Amino acid sequence: MIRGEPGMGKSSLLDHAAQAAGGARVLRVAGVETEAKLPFAALHLLLRPALDRLDTLPGPQAAALRGAFGLAAVTESDRFLVGLAALTLLSELAEERPLLCLIDDAQWLDHASASALLFAARRLRSEGVTLLVAARDDQDAFPVAGLPELRLGGLAREEAERLLSDQLPAHLRERVLKEADGNPLALIELSRAACESELEFGGPLPLTHRLLEAFAGRVHRLAEPTRRMLAVAAAEDTGDLGIVLTAAGTLDIPADALEPSDL
């Protein structure tokens, strides 16, 4: 398991693993929020290149996987057999050459696929299969037990400075370093945006589409009072907490609504 906040480089690590795989077969899938409620959608994408091997599986496993993927009529999906079939199919593929499975944005996997993949992951031993799963470090995002975890933190200052654009004016470097707080995506995007725009002295750094897209999901998962508090904070561009709290009070937003926002 690779965990970290948006922009910390989880997908880049999976890209690196794919490039370094050598002669290994690579299967890759990324969770999509719009498919999070479609049972077995992610598992189908991951195993689609191997569906021609379903006949090599034991009968009950093949039938369960065909039913899960809509390839045969079933009355009820057997989650145990689906997980076992996924494990067997991955093991079959690994008999030919090592297999690397990469799962990105696992926080958006549908529950059925996540369960099947975790079932298989806990039973992988010496089959020649490597499974790397990347998920955001949000609360309750893809909770697992029994799998090794790598947590990605922010970059140290020296490392962070390497990501800043050489064209970034000196008076903006400290601001970008402070606001990015070691987040690689924020460092790159804020640095680029600051170079391309004409900032007024003390004005807010411009946000790019990639940054908004990366962090929007975190805002949507916050409670409604906290989202309202963040809207007030966004409208007050001096960063004065006292002004934010005073304005929130006039809108009947409780002061403790600020706590879950990490501001």
Side-chain angles (χ1 to χ4, degrees):
M1 278 297 306
I2 302 173
R3 290 194 183 275
E5 294 181 354
M8 281 298 180
K10 302 179 297 297
S11 297
S12 295
L13 284 179
L14 296 189
D15 289 341
H16 176 73
Q19 295 168 5
R25 181 194 298 269
V26 178
L27 298 181
R28 186 168 187 173
V29 68
V32 179
E33 194 169 9
T34 55
E35 296 185 3
K37 295 184 179 180
L38 301 179
F40 299 111
L43 187 66
H44 176 263
L45 279 176
L46 181 71
L47 298 181
R48 185 169 54 180
L51 293 184
D52 59 346
R53 299 168 179 264
L54 288 180
D55 290 337
T56 66
L57 300 179
Q61 294 181 32
L65 207 55
R66 285 194 176 95
F69 292 164
L71 301 175
V74 291
T75 56
E76 184 177 354
S77 176
D78 189 321
R79 300 295 175 90
F80 172 78
L81 283 176
V82 171
L84 194 60
L87 174 62
T88 303
L89 195 55
L90 294 176
S91 301
E92 289 280 342
L93 290 174
E95 286 187 358
E96 299 176 357
R97 51 178 168 148
L99 178 65
L100 174 63
C101 296
L102 304 175
I103 318 296
D104 204 358
D105 284 326
Q107 71 277 358
W108 289 327
L109 290 186
D110 61 274
H111 179 72
S113 293
S115 297
L117 288 170
L118 289 174
F119 178 94
R122 293 192 180 98
R123 288 159 179 79
L124 290 173
R125 292 293 181 268
S126 57
E127 292 86 351
V129 180
T130 295
L131 179 66
L132 296 179
V133 182
R136 291 187 176 181
D137 206 10
D138 301 334
Q139 185 178 6
D140 299 326
F142 201 73
V144 297
L147 298 184
E149 282 195 5
L150 170 65
R151 290 186 175 270
L152 304 183
L155 299 178
R157 182 184 176 92
E158 182 179 350
E159 298 167 327
E161 288 181 332
R162 295 175 188 168
L163 293 183
L164 298 182
S165 170
D166 293 335
Q167 299 177 358
L168 186 64
H171 71 282
L172 290 176
R173 296 181 71 85
E174 284 300 322
R175 288 190 57 195
V176 171
L177 288 170
K178 181 179 179 180
E179 294 194 22
D181 194 26
N183 185 293
L185 177 63
L187 285 162
I188 293 171
E189 292 294 307
L190 289 177
S191 177
R192 180 183 300 136
C195 289
E196 294 174 352
S197 62
E198 296 183 4
L199 292 177
E200 297 180 2
F201 181 77
L205 292 173
L207 295 179
T208 66
H209 176 73
R210 288 186 69 195
L211 281 176
L212 292 172
E213 188 177 62
F215 290 94
R218 297 184 63 186
V219 175
H220 294 323
R221 284 187 285 275
L222 293 172
E224 191 270 341
T226 303
R227 294 201 303 271
R228 293 179 62 202
M229 179 69 84
L230 286 175
V232 173
E236 204 298 298
D237 58 11
T238 68
D240 190 315
L241 182 58
I243 296 177
V244 171
L245 293 176
T246 300
T250 64
L251 297 173
D252 295 325
I253 303 174
D256 60 4
L258 192 61
E259 296 178 6
S261 68
D262 293 330
L263 286 180

